[in-house]
Amino acid sequence: MPYGKRTQQSTRRRFIEAVGVAGAVGLAGCGGTSGSGSDGEAAGDAGGGGGMELSYHTLFVGGDGAVMKSIVEEFNETQPVGDVTISRQRSPWEEYYNQLFTSMAGGNAPDLAISHATYIPRFQDTLVDISDYATATDGYVEKIFGACQVDDGLYALPMDTHPVGLYINQDILDQVDAEPPFEDFAEFEATCNAIRDETDALPFGPNPVDGLSVREWYTSISSMGGSMFSEDNSEAVFDQGAGLEAAEYYHSVSGERNWDRADTSEERVLQSFLNGSVAMMINGTWGVADMADVDFNWNFAPPRITPNADRLRAATDSHTLVVPTQPDGTEERYQKAVEAAQWITQKNPEWGTKAGHVPAWNPILEGDQLQNSDLWDQTLKYYTDMAQNGQLAYFPQLSNADFYDASNWNWMRQMYGHQLGPKEAVSKGVETWNSNL
């Protein structure tokens, strides 16, 4: 199992071939949508001390950035895995993967790093298979843990799952006597139509940052039982069936339904939601940070937003901790890195109670601290229910393309902004994806 069996040179060569120079990540995501701000400190935390210091790269800002900062501080104060401290280096989401990929390709990778589960197969060759280092893994939620396993190996430990849901200005819904959660799309549709006809607000802006993103679209095609790719992920197939239906629906949201404007200006939906001129929007678990200081009553519901849906599926991914291979990596250093990852993922309920994510460790997920938290009744009980009832749709794990690269989704913004019709848009999207695959 030691990675000395694979030379660092050959691993780096295969890695560079897989990713090109560095994948450009552009979809706004888990570090917070809007100016949720920094976590109130410099870009890194020094571990200090005379023992082993592990370098740890993260992408968290805003509310979850502050929580991760406190987790690392507690680790360094209590030293739960021996004379080991962590030096945390934080980069913004839009820069993070470029910097991480460059460091791994250049042989300067950190000891620990955050990776979305979606990326694990793509960068498997530069990650340590931690199967023989990790202990007590039976406590992770099976579905979330499974996203960390590739080719019979274990390449990460999961912190959470972070699906999307429907954030609601309840003061606006009270004007039309609507009380979520919605039982089905028909109730959601009736509420949107009533808001359009009886209030001054726009009913529904799908995405807080771009107007429409892959998160909402993938939620809808999954809720209709569709797929983006062929079974072996070798070909994009969403220019027909559920993929086309979802495109037609979202084109109508900013068009004939008059639920939103055909405007993809950055953060237009989020700012309109926060100022009370948009009634509902989709956001992820991290969206609770944006709700902290709103001056209206807000609510939350599972995303039953899709016509012709025969199930509920919410798009999701997971934050995981990976251990990159090192040119001079030792068994001891890899072991301590994994032990630190276990402590971070298994001993910190505040990742749910304060950051708002659904913990991947069952004892936390089922524990009193989570269920007695302020966020439980607001969002977490709904997210947890979706997770436990098989209502999550993980993004495809591609070994040869960057799922989050914003250039893969230009067609979607053009469609929502009515520069392209639905059929033309999905055809362009399939062409883009197949050229990448």
Side-chain angles (χ1 to χ4, degrees), residues 214-265:
V214 63
R215 291 184 175 92
E216 303 81 52
W217 180 75
Y218 195 71
T219 291
S220 290
I221 66 171
S222 299
S223 295
M224 289 188 282
S227 300
M228 274 190 67
F229 301 112
S230 58
E231 189 171 346
D232 62 357
N233 286 335
S234 65
E235 182 182 10
V237 296
F238 57 81
D239 56 346
Q240 54 190 319
L244 177 57
E245 284 189 60
E248 291 170 339
Y249 165 60
Y250 285 110
H251 191 264
S252 76
V253 166
S254 59
E256 63 200 53
R257 291 179 184 270
N258 289 317
W259 291 355
D260 191 23
R261 298 201 306 270
D263 181 353
T264 60
S265 302

Side-chain angles (χ1 to χ4, degrees), residues 345-398:
T345 59
Q346 297 176 11
K347 301 297 184 181
N348 295 281
E350 58 266 40
W351 195 244
T353 61
K354 294 181 180 179
H357 304 300
V358 180
W361 186 243
N362 269 315
I364 296 177
L365 187 62
E366 299 168 358
D368 291 340
Q369 283 182 276
L370 190 73
Q371 297 185 19
N372 291 331
S373 69
D374 291 340
L375 290 180
W376 179 256
D377 285 333
Q378 291 179 304
T379 61
L380 284 172
K381 69 179 181 182
Y382 298 106
Y383 281 130
T384 300
D385 185 66
M386 287 190 288
Q388 293 178 335
N389 286 289
Q391 294 174 335
L392 302 184
Y394 269 88
F395 293 133
Q397 290 182 302
L398 306 174

Side-chain angles (χ1 to χ4, degrees), residues 32-255:
T33 36
S34 76
S36 44
S38 71
D39 50 16
E41 42 76 52
D45 302 320
M52 182 185 296
E53 183 179 86
L54 299 173
S55 56
Y56 173 37
H57 287 194
T58 83
L59 47 65
F60 303 117
V61 297
D64 44 10
V67 174
M68 182 54 69
K69 178 178 183 287
S70 70
I71 289 173
V72 171
E73 288 175 344
E74 182 180 355
F75 182 94
N76 289 338
E77 290 171 5
T78 61
Q79 295 190 313
V81 300
D83 191 11
V84 177
T85 58
I86 289 174
S87 175
R88 181 181 68 107
Q89 179 67 41
R90 175 179 55 79
S91 300
W93 159 268
E94 64 271 13
E95 301 173 10
Y96 176 74
Y97 281 106
N98 279 342
Q99 294 179 359
L100 178 61
F101 298 162
T102 299
S103 73
M104 291 197 293
N108 298 306
D111 296 295
L112 276 173
I114 292 293
S115 174
H116 283 81
T118 298
Y119 281 122
I120 292 173
R122 192 169 181 225
F123 306 109
Q124 176 185 353
D125 282 345
T126 60
L127 303 177
V128 176
D129 181 349
I130 62 174
S131 301
D132 291 344
Y133 296 116
T135 59
T137 57
D138 289 345
Y140 292 105
V141 176
E142 184 176 358
K143 176 73 171 179
I144 304 174
F145 186 70
C148 299
Q149 297 172 297
V150 181
D151 296 335
D152 298 322
L154 177 63
Y155 291 92
L157 293 177
M159 286 194 67
D160 61 40
T161 188
H162 46 270
V164 298
L166 186 66
Y167 288 77
I168 298 164
N169 183 326
Q170 188 59 45
D171 289 348
I172 297 175
L173 266 68
D174 286 344
Q175 297 178 44
V176 297
D177 297 322
E179 187 62 42
F182 304 109
E183 289 297 320
D184 51 29
F185 175 75
E187 286 190 9
F188 173 73
E189 181 181 39
T191 299
C192 286
N193 288 339
I195 292 169
R196 178 196 62 202
D197 297 340
E198 301 173 27
T199 79
D200 294 329
L202 290 168
F204 176 49
N207 182 262
V209 177
D210 296 319
L212 177 67
S213 82
V214 63
R215 291 184 175 92
E216 303 81 52
W217 180 75
Y218 195 71
T219 291
S220 290
I221 66 171
S222 299
S223 295
M224 289 188 282
S227 300
M228 274 190 67
F229 301 112
S230 58
E231 189 171 346
D232 62 357
N233 286 335
S234 65
E235 182 182 10
V237 296
F238 57 81
D239 56 346
Q240 54 190 319
L244 177 57
E245 284 189 60
E248 291 170 339
Y249 165 60
Y250 285 110
H251 191 264
S252 76
V253 166
S254 59

Side-chain angles (χ1 to χ4, degrees), residues 282-296:
I282 296 294
N283 209 348
T285 53
W286 59 91
V288 294
D290 293 316
M291 309 306 296
D293 299 316
V294 297
D295 59 0
F296 55 81

Side-chain angles (χ1 to χ4, degrees), residues 1-9 11-12 52-55 107-112 126-128 133 323-337:
M1 197 278 295
Y3 258 60
K5 293 181 179 179
R6 177 184 294 159
T7 68
Q8 183 71 11
Q9 182 178 13
T11 297
R12 286 170 57 197
M52 182 185 296
E53 183 179 86
L54 299 173
S55 56
N108 298 306
D111 296 295
L112 276 173
T126 60
L127 303 177
V128 176
Y133 296 116
V323 179
T325 57
Q326 304 283 344
D328 54 355
T330 65
E331 294 291 304
E332 179 187 17
R333 198 166 189 89
Y334 290 151
Q335 183 64 55
K336 289 301 183 182

